Amino acid sequence: MSPNRFHVCSPCSFFIYSAFLFPLRVEIVGAGPLLVYTILQPTGVSSRQKQPKVKVLDPDIDYSKAKSVHSISSWWGIGGIFIVLFVGNITNYTNSHLPDGLRNAHLTHFPSAFIAERAWKDLKIMNDFGPKPTGTYTNEVLAVDFLNREITYIDQLKNRNQRLIVQNQIVSGGYVGVYMNKSAANVYRNVQNVVVKLVGRSETANRHALLLNCHFDSVAGSPGASDDTGSCAVMLEILRVLSRQSEVNRYSIIFLFNGAEETPLQASHGFITKHPWAADVRAFINLESAGSGGKEMLFQSGPKHPWLIEAYAKAVPYPYAQAAAEEIFQSGVIPSDTDFRVFRDVGRIPGMDFAHTANGYRYHTRYDSIDYISLSVLQRTGDNILALTKTIANGDELSGTERYAQGYMVFYDFLGFFFVSYSADVGLMINLSVVLLSIIIPFLSLARSTSGTHGKQIRSETMTGFLATFLGAGASGVLCFFIGLQLDALGRSMSWYSSTNLILGVYCCPALLCQCLVHLLCNRLFGSKTTPLSLALKVQARLNGVNLFWGMITLGITFTGYRLAYIFMVLILCSLCSSTLISMLGLQNTVNKWLIIHVLFQIAALAWSTQFYHILMNMFVPITGRIGSSINPDVIIGALATFATLFSCSYLTPLLFLLKKTDKLIGELVAITLIAMVLASSTHVGFPYRDDAFKAPAVQRHYITHTVRKFYDYNGGERYTDSGFLLQELDRNAKKTIEGIAIPDVVTPMREIAACEKELFCAIPFYSIWHQVLFENYWLPGPAPVVRQMVTINLREKELLNEHEHRLHLVLKGSFQSSIIIGPKAGASLKRWSLLSEIPAPIEFNGQRGHFVLLTAGIESDPMNVTLDIRHELKQYDGPLVDLLVTTTHWEYQKEHTPVFNRLLARVPSWAHVVPSVAAVNGYTF
């Protein structure tokens, strides 16, 4: 016990605390000419000697003016909306603000800095190659030659203390991938990696290394400037900078430029399973993109290994990271994946995953080009990754990363100004403490302001605030759901797609209006008409009900093990800070002072909440353009808008009771909603798509495949052949566009064509079962395309293994992007094969079951021998055992397009992006 402090015994503490809560004998309530006195129990008087209390209705009413002294002008309701919009604009700016890019002229002042102009020149060369799908000349020759040539220049100009080792890996292999609850065999042959090692000081003692990864291939129809050659340009510049410094890094750094990510994730799998340097990798940094430009977000880390987040916090000058993004992405709701999965699941290596997420409209389209990538984008990414690479490569953790696998981290940034991280265990304690204090402190504060005599009324108003918030959330969600259904029924789905500000009027305003009306209704139904509380105290008690609402959500998420509860904790923390300050200053029952403090802290809360509005909308609005037609995207965006509105405005909505009249606020919300509805449903503003006329394209996506199909019987004879065009429905409005493209002909849903009755999987030219099986496909009969080369399968031998099993010896010829669907006949099953060590679970489509194999070829390869072991339930069975459907898809095949195909493509509107391809489907029975 410190000698400078005095000790108070427990009974004394109780009485001192009681005196602090109830210090007065007489309380003066109200203002103006009428003073109302409430008689309180004097200290030391027993309960039997209590004096009668004088209760009055509406104690803060100035009866000379017949209005509450705590009320404010009705115009402040409209002002509150402008405050929300103003703060939202600020957070939108901070989300998109980037540092200036450095140019070559800055080298004299910053010799060790990342120079964006040099990276931009590398990107320009790779961009000008055009689309680079795996297996094409642009990817396998031009891109690989450029990388090797540029790395040679870097090697020649490196510091004499540095050592570079370069290897070109050509690798074949495969794995079973599970995506969107569907399994498929992913087999690759002769795909390429360009691998560079910047040797560290520890190379002679141990070979621990940090891996940096990007991919230089792209999808068909897209130059892939952001996804992902921009990342490769950043890595080249980082290699250039590090190789020219005199000091050698403690650990080696491996730069992996992989050439088959979009196929998917094949080249990274080839590296991590078959390259000799893979065993040295102790951690990785993966650079990706799901948009075009903007900030790179840290959206996956670990698993576990909190030291990675600590390194990020220490090193990165421009933080942009959210643990919530990690949990959302790993839930599978976002239709995408990255090499992070391969390094984590196959290599068992911890790492970090970065991606640009802005402008997802351009992702995988012709607009993902250098025209939309600025020096600032490269500079920000380069500064962050360079600093992070130096920190990890010179830290202690790479010497034994498993020693640092100590749990999960909660991490987030606040508008990029600062970065916060702590362990999940600490997060649980923080969440629990903030929630409990946010409820207890306001209650005690309000009780003290009434000298402890009106606790029941405070609890009643708190529960009214909670109930109004809860019912308002539900009612606004239902309202936005029906708005989404109605717009879809009117044929105006996705009216906000290219004009995202419409979301504010179509969904956010109705949600806020509904929440306000529910608060007013709950006040009428459950609010006390005889409360002795002043209006200020009543509103503060209602705000504590909001604390209770978000507190229950926070604790519920926390105790289910999700880290994203911090999103709500920070919101509650802002309220806790304001109520604590109000209590400390004794401003609970002042006329305006408590309100000013509350609003000031709510501005900080708005900055926090509106940044998530922008993150959610920037991410999910473009995604609605590629999720197929079976899901109503308006329901998704309506739900997100409802949540964002409640999240941003829940601590402002109870303030409407301070307004002298609420009609101006309600009227404005109704007017904005009606105007937005008219714009969305009746004008060109609600048209979803845009071309690049204003350098802000938001296109509708289409895949059109000119297809020829041939089917062979059990004896090898040709049964029949047909041809036509396959058109995919990638969003809610695509069918109307497809029907317009086909005019005067009529398209037929793929499941309704005659081939579906007798051919495996309707003989659809599937190139990716994970996506295509979810979308509706349409068939338009037409003349056959020109297909000069294709993948074929021939039966070399049929071997009887035992009385129930046969082995089919097949020869696969052709080095092109292809797929195989293996459908055992009735009574038969696939037991073993030579493609992989395991067989994926069969996929169901059109009432049939089959095993899907994706075959990717990089450099041309020799014919491939394949064996299938088929078991039949009948002994000595000697009939047909299996159906095989082999699809060859030619991307970037424009020179072979027929005039009919070109005329069809010419009908595609300018505001749409089409990826044309030519496919050959061969159906066999063995």
Side-chain angles (χ1 to χ4, degrees), residues 18 57 166 207 267 451 455 540 562 659 745 754:
S18 300
L57 301 181
V166 184
R207 301 179 64 181
S451 301
Q540 290 173 72
Y562 290 98
L659 302 177
D745 299 314

Side-chain angles (χ1 to χ4, degrees), residues 717-737:
E718 185 174 316
R719 287 191 288 119
Y720 78 96
T721 183
D722 68 2
S723 59
F725 303 93
L726 180 75
L727 302 95
Q728 286 185 40
E729 190 176 25
L730 293 182
D731 76 12
R732 195 72 165 181
N733 300 312
K735 183 179 180 182
K736 291 183 288 187
T737 307

Side-chain angles (χ1 to χ4, degrees), residues 135 140 170 189-192 789 814-816 857-863:
E140 307 305 328
I170 300 175
R189 296 190 291 163
N190 292 350
V191 300
Q192 296 193 81
Q789 295 176 306
S815 296
F816 309 100
I859 298 174
E860 186 174 354
S861 56
D862 296 329

